[in-house]
Amino acid sequence: MSEIFTDGAFDLHTHSFISDGTTSPSEIAIHAASIGLAGFSLTDHDTTEGWAEARTEAHRQGIDFLPGIELTTTHLGRSVHLLAYGPDPTDPTLQTELAMLLTSRFGRAQEMISRLRRDFILDWDAVLQTPSEGALQSVGRPHLADALVNAGYFTDRSDAFTQVLSQRSKYYVPTYALDTTVAIQLVLNAGGFPVVAHPAASRMRRPLSELYIEEFARAGLRGIELSHPENREEWLEPLRLTASRLQLVETGGSDYHGSGKPNLLGQRTTPSVVVQQIRAEVATPH
Ligand code: AMP
Ligand code: FE
Ligand code: FE
Ligand code: ZN
């Protein structure tokens, strides 16, 4: 790897195979150090399970670690991903909600498998045959995609999503999600720093509206992920103005998923001065 970041850059959005990434937390730490990142956050979907391993390897590599989670939330029918940096992982309400999210993901995946079985040969064992060798905690549509790809039905995750796994698909089943404003409160109460993820992602029909961001800010939102590989540049200007008006912290992350997505580790970053600001507010800064 040749890329060198000179300003103390942190990639604040990454996934391991504990959720829907394809590499271990340690591999992310080693990779982050090798490309010259000052640090990173592991933000697996709805789980804190990878934190210890990521932290240990980050420190062994001489780089920084900021604990994170990407929470599955919804607001007025729209799916919203909420990044939570540095919450206390032992907070009882947070633990209860994470347990509900993970349990629901499990049941939802099984329900989607039974729907897919009308047209595809697929079973639960094939879905659990991930590179994680039992480390998987947070099962999602990407794991269904991988099983369908391995069975030869589709060329890659993206193809499987487009053809059969999108929200509009007849095989789609929703999973439990908190309302975004409730989730923001929960994160704050657990000592975390809530940041709305990829607010202008190109896979959405439109960006998150200013009204939503205002409502989230009233609930206590602290940041907005304006720098993300899937944010559509032409949607960003109004969000930038809203962010600065509401004094939201602007973050950046790659949403690295190993080989599960084209996003490259370190493709988008957050300067260390911003990370220090986040750390100063949270229960678990390292
Ligand atoms: P789930 O949380 O189970 O509903 O699955 C959503 C996850 O699927 C997101 O976090 C993305 O990582 C992944 N995803 C969504 N669309 C695609 C796509 N087109 N290609 C690859 N991964 C995707
Ligand atoms: Fe994901
Ligand atoms: Fe996301
Ligand atoms: Zn993500």
Side-chain angles (χ1 to χ4, degrees):
M1 300 286 166
S2 57
E3 210 155 352
I4 298 295
F5 303 95
T6 49
D7 63 338
F10 283 67
D11 187 335
L12 290 191
H13 192 158
T14 72
H15 297 267
S16 74
F17 57 36
I18 289 169
S19 68
D20 57 2
T22 63
T23 63
S24 68
S26 301
E27 286 173 292
I28 299 175
I30 293 165
H31 187 171
S34 80
I35 60 176
L37 286 170
F40 72 102
S41 180
L42 182 70
T43 52
D44 275 317
H45 298 282
D46 306 319
T47 177
T48 64
E49 194 68 26
W51 289 6
E53 183 187 320
R55 177 189 294 122
T56 300
E57 191 57 41
H59 294 167
R60 191 178 292 152
Q61 296 292 324
I63 62 170
D64 262 1
F65 177 68
L66 176 68
I69 316 171
E70 186 173 20
L71 288 169
T72 304
T73 80
T74 177
H75 192 63
L76 304 173
R78 266 195 90 161
S79 159
V80 177
H81 284 177
L82 185 73
L83 295 161
Y85 295 112
D88 174 3
T90 69
D91 179 87
T93 316
L94 178 64
Q95 283 194 342
T96 303
E97 281 304 330
L98 293 179
M100 284 180 49
L101 286 158
L102 296 180
T103 305
S104 173
R105 282 181 165 282
F106 194 82
R108 176 267 204 140
Q110 286 177 319
E111 179 57 30
M112 282 189 75
I113 290 168
S114 54
R115 292 192 185 189
L116 286 158
R117 280 166 70 97
R118 292 174 203 152
D119 299 309
F120 301 93
I121 299 166
L122 179 72
D123 61 27
W124 187 238
D125 283 350
V127 172
L128 293 188
Q129 261 171 25
T130 67
S132 70
E133 289 164 25
L136 175 62
Q137 295 281 324
S138 181
V139 66
R141 285 180 286 163
H143 305 99
L144 304 180
D146 290 350
L148 290 164
V149 170
N150 289 338
Y153 293 112
F154 303 103
T155 54
D156 57 18
R157 274 190 187 182
S158 217
D159 185 29
F161 265 85
T162 312
Q163 311 269 355
V164 293
L165 297 174
S166 79
Q167 273 193 48
R168 290 172 290 283
S169 157
K170 62 179 173 180
Y171 309 109
Y172 180 79
V173 177
T175 189
Y176 168 73
L178 283 166
D179 182 83
T180 313
T181 58
V182 175
I184 289 167
Q185 280 298 321
L186 180 139
V187 170
L188 291 171
N189 290 338
F193 191 97
V195 174
V196 66
H198 44 71
S202 48
R203 89 174 88 96
M204 308 189 294
R205 258 167 290 175
R206 54 191 190 287
L208 286 182
S209 78
E210 201 173 314
L211 291 174
Y212 274 37
I213 306 293
E214 277 173 6
E215 213 181 326
F216 298 164
R218 276 197 298 277
L221 185 73
R222 297 288 293 113
I224 180 164
E225 191 183 43
L226 287 181
S227 187
H228 183 281
E230 291 148 62
N231 278 342
R232 223 179 247 186
E233 189 52 45
E234 64 268 32
W235 286 347
L236 279 177
E237 202 44 40
L239 287 170
R240 282 201 189 97
L241 296 172
T242 308
S244 95
R245 182 164 52 80
L246 299 172
Q247 294 182 295
L248 296 174
V249 168
E250 300 179 12
T251 70
S254 68
D255 213 350
Y256 177 70
H257 280 71
S259 59
K261 270 188 167 189
N263 310 27
L264 302 173
L265 191 67
Q267 191 179 352
R268 295 290 186 278
T269 58
T270 304
S272 60
V273 55
V274 174
V275 177
Q276 299 322 323
Q277 188 186 344
I278 294 172
R279 279 187 160 149
E281 288 187 29
V282 302
T284 316
H286 295 281

